[in-house]
Amino acid sequence: MKNSGLEKEHVVIDETSLPEYQMFLEAADDGAFHSTRTSHVAERISRDLVSSPRSIGIKYTILVIVGFFLSLLICAQGNIGLGAVSFKIFEEVMSFIPPKFCGIVCGTIFSGVPFFFSLIVLNRFEQRYLLFRMWWLVLLLPILGAVCMQFYGNVMRDADDFMWGWASSWTIAAVMTPYVFETVLYVFALKQRTLKTSST
Amino acid sequence: MYKEVSDEELLNLYFEGDGRAFDEFFKRHFGRVLGYARKLGLSDADAADAAQESFLKVHRQIHSYERGRKVLPWFFTIVHNTCLTHLRSEKRRILRENKAHEQRESHFQDLKHFPLQQGPVSEEQENNPLSLEDAELRKRFEKLKSEERTLLCERIVEEQSYKDISQKTGKSEAALRKMFQRALSQLKGISKG
């Protein structure tokens, strides 16, 4: 019974390597030699990984907020923009795209910039950790961002020229864009493949 | 926290970026890799290097680790190949060192048979300034410290780089360059004189 279990485990080991594999299974460190460099390798690898959910959560939140502000530098969202260039781009876009579609473009820029910004800063392990373990944060931040923008742009500033068409299409685009991008990222770069086993 | 978790689940968690899962995997298997590398015949230092390199390779290859794959055979393949690479490079290094040693020995043997200028200069030697110079050169060469002689052989005859010699001797490249220049100028003194 034990043998068959071992054979099953050895399924990917070349038969000629079986003695070495057995040696590997039985090998153990006798503690005679310990290198200080050992811990350096572990530390080096650990630096790429996530040691605390809180720290990666804070890091991601900051990145997304910075990304939101960066998007306001590129294109003004409604009446909110940073710098004259962003308003100029906003007006240019508005001049040749109908308001509904303009809302989609602006919303996509608003949430797309933080996505790409975090894509540049975070490594693959951090992105996976966020998507697999802290997916709620990835879902929540675009909603919060969109709500804050709408609240500040239309309520706080008491805008008279509130455009429902523009606002609704903008909100949908701002919330959906990161979900779409994250899904694409998951499928093409982050997903863990499953071993295909033959039935024979 | 992860002590009860299987290796397969640990690697799945590691794939997801969990640092604690990696720590547990490292703790669980580092000794095994080190022991295996030593059993294959690597020295303590090389075994430690191979073990570290194995974990670095796992780190690079974890992105292609498939859910459901048995960890130990997969990990073994990485460790085994890494150890073999180290064994091969160690073998090459030993062969290279032996060859260099043999070459050095033969050069010293050649120098031994070099005609030494002893006693009064013969008429033939007086007529042949080159042989006089060679003898003087030989004398000057012998006056050099043994490490200077070795360095000259390694640099001029074997054409080794300062980097290689530095790795072998443990001396800095700058110190070697200085020593080489000093030895060379001592030898060149003959032409000035």
Side-chain angles (χ1 to χ4, degrees):
Chain A
M1 192 68 190
K2 197 180 175 186
N3 281 344
S4 65
L6 266 173
E7 277 165 21
K8 200 177 176 186
E9 192 173 313
H10 293 173
V11 69
V12 293
I13 299 289
D14 179 13
E15 267 183 35
T16 53
S17 301
L18 272 178
E20 281 94 349
Y21 182 59
Q22 197 60 43
M23 198 161 89
F24 175 70
L25 292 178
E26 289 160 4
D29 179 27
D30 55 9
F33 183 80
H34 286 286
S35 168
T36 49
R37 283 177 298 172
T38 302
S39 56
H40 292 167
V41 171
E43 277 171 27
R44 198 175 134 190
I45 293 173
S46 292
R47 270 202 296 270
D48 286 346
L49 303 168
V50 178
S51 54
S52 146
R54 188 186 291 177
S55 63
I56 188 69
I58 292 170
K59 188 177 174 183
Y60 181 67
T61 307
I62 291 170
L63 283 175
V64 169
I65 291 170
V66 172
F68 284 149
F69 279 102
L70 280 177
S71 75
L72 293 179
L73 276 171
I74 296 166
C75 179
Q77 311 290 327
N79 289 322
I80 308 162
L82 297 172
V85 179
S86 65
F87 281 101
K88 207 171 176 184
I89 294 172
F90 176 67
E91 278 163 20
E92 286 290 323
V93 173
M94 283 288 273
S95 66
F96 64 87
I97 300 178
K100 261 188 193 172
F101 294 105
C102 176
I104 292 172
V105 173
C106 289
T108 305
I109 292 171
F110 179 70
S111 288
V113 172
F115 170 82
F116 285 108
F117 186 54
S118 65
L119 201 65
I120 292 164
V121 176
L122 300 175
N123 67 33
R124 239 198 295 188
F125 290 108
E126 290 171 321
Q127 282 162 5
R128 262 194 213 120
Y129 193 91
L130 282 165
L131 214 57
F132 294 4
R133 303 278 193 88
M134 299 179 78
W135 51 267
W136 52 269
L137 188 68
V138 180
L139 291 179
L140 190 66
L141 287 178
I143 297 172
L144 284 179
V147 168
C148 287
M149 279 293 290
Q150 292 291 5
F151 183 74
Y152 180 73
N154 302 308
V155 180
M156 293 286 282
R157 296 172 84 194
D158 199 19
D160 297 328
D161 54 346
F162 187 72
M163 298 178 290
W164 278 107
W166 186 92
S168 53
S169 59
W170 183 90
T171 308
I172 291 167
V175 173
M176 293 307 292
T177 299
Y179 298 171
V180 173
F181 285 172
E182 292 286 355
T183 307
V184 172
L185 182 71
Y186 169 77
V187 170
F188 289 104
L190 303 181
K191 189 182 173 187
Q192 185 177 19
R193 283 178 298 169
T194 306
L195 182 69
K196 284 174 192 145
T197 47
S198 58
S199 54
T200 51
Chain B
M1 189 182 174
Y2 289 129
K3 278 191 178 146
E4 304 298 319
V5 177
S6 69
D7 285 338
E8 284 71 24
E9 196 48 39
L10 271 185
L11 280 208
N12 289 337
L13 294 168
Y14 175 16
F15 178 88
E16 290 172 7
D18 191 329
R20 283 172 296 181
F22 164 74
D23 289 342
E24 178 60 29
F25 183 74
F26 186 83
K27 246 186 264 171
R28 220 179 264 187
H29 295 293
F30 187 78
R32 184 196 296 277
V33 179
L34 205 59
Y36 178 70
R38 281 212 217 98
K39 273 186 181 176
L40 279 186
L42 286 170
S43 64
D44 281 352
D46 276 339
D49 283 346
Q52 290 168 65
E53 208 179 306
S54 300
F55 280 96
L56 284 174
K57 279 186 183 172
V58 166
H59 190 57
R60 280 194 289 269
Q61 291 181 23
I62 189 72
H63 300 294
S64 59
Y65 175 74
E66 294 158 313
R67 186 173 281 273
R69 183 175 286 284
K70 284 278 180 190
V71 169
L72 282 180
W74 179 76
F75 186 45
F76 165 74
T77 311
I78 294 172
V79 172
H80 184 67
N81 288 338
T82 311
C83 288
L84 286 187
T85 309
H86 272 261
L87 273 174
R88 279 189 207 113
S89 66
E90 196 169 344
K91 193 179 161 189
R92 269 200 302 271
R93 186 178 56 80
I94 290 168
L95 281 174
R96 206 171 45 234
E97 276 181 9
N98 281 348
K99 200 177 165 190
H101 182 73
E102 279 167 17
Q103 271 182 344
R104 209 172 301 140
E105 282 296 309
S106 89
H107 292 314
F108 278 130
Q109 287 299 323
D110 289 348
L111 284 168
K112 248 184 190 176
H113 299 302
F114 202 88
L116 265 176
Q117 183 67 35
Q118 281 174 344
V121 180
S122 67
E123 198 178 324
E124 187 195 342
Q125 283 168 333
E126 246 179 4
N127 294 336
N128 186 356
L130 190 68
S131 75
L132 252 178
E133 198 171 279
D134 286 349
E136 192 59 34
L137 190 67
R138 165 84 177 110
K139 268 186 190 173
R140 283 174 184 264
F141 186 78
E142 282 204 326
K143 274 182 192 169
L144 295 175
K145 288 176 195 165
S146 93
E147 56 178 357
E148 288 174 334
R149 286 201 300 259
T150 311
L151 178 63
L152 284 175
C153 279
E154 283 170 340
R155 280 291 298 147
I156 298 168
V157 183
E158 293 163 16
E159 293 178 348
Q160 289 187 40
S161 67
Y162 282 114
K163 197 179 173 186
D164 288 343
I165 303 169
S166 167
Q167 278 171 354
K168 222 163 32 185
T169 58
K171 286 185 176 162
S172 71
E173 285 183 42
L176 287 172
R177 277 176 210 280
K178 212 169 175 183
M179 191 197 290
F180 180 75
Q181 287 304 323
R182 197 171 51 233
L184 209 60
S185 61
Q186 274 178 271
L187 281 183
K188 277 180 181 171
I190 187 169
S191 53
K192 285 173 193 167

